[in-house]
């Protein structure tokens, strides 16, 4: 996947959410953040703070390897 780390990270989250048929609101509720925060993660590829990485991985049903790829901005 081409693009910056942030672009790849944003695309990875969008794809994972689509695969799970998950809305921004659903993910926000599961992780404990605002819908605006989820929108920012998706649109800018901004990395969630360390506090939210485990809940995000749990919501996305990501393995440690998949979470690591997301953090690095790689493909899922």
């Amino acid at each position: 996947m081409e693009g910056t780390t942030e672009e790849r990270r944003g695309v990875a989250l969008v794809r994972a959410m689509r695969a799970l048929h998950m809305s921004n609101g659903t993910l926000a509720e599961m992780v404990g953040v605002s819908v605006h925060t989820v929108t920012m993660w998706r649109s800018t590829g901004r990395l969630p703070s360390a506090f939210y990485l485990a809940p995000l991985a749990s919501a996305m049903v990501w393995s440690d390897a998949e979470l690591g790829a997301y953090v690095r901005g790689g493909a899922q």
Side-chain angles (χ1 to χ4, degrees), residues 28-34 37 41 47-59 67 71:
E29 186 175 323
M30 291 176 78
V31 177
V33 297
S34 70
T37 298
W41 292 345
L47 186 63
S49 69
F51 181 81
Y52 294 113
L53 285 176
L56 177 63
S58 178
L67 177 60
V71 169

Side-chain angles (χ1 to χ4, degrees), residues 5-6 8-14 16 41-42 45-48 53 56-57 60 62 64-76:
T5 297
E6 290 78 14
R8 292 190 307 266
R9 190 180 291 130
V11 168
L13 185 57
V14 168
W41 292 345
R42 288 180 53 152
R46 184 174 293 173
L47 186 63
L53 285 176
L56 177 63
M60 295 289 97
W62 282 340
D64 288 347
E66 289 168 323
L67 177 60
Y70 170 75
V71 169
R72 290 187 303 276
Q76 288 288 339

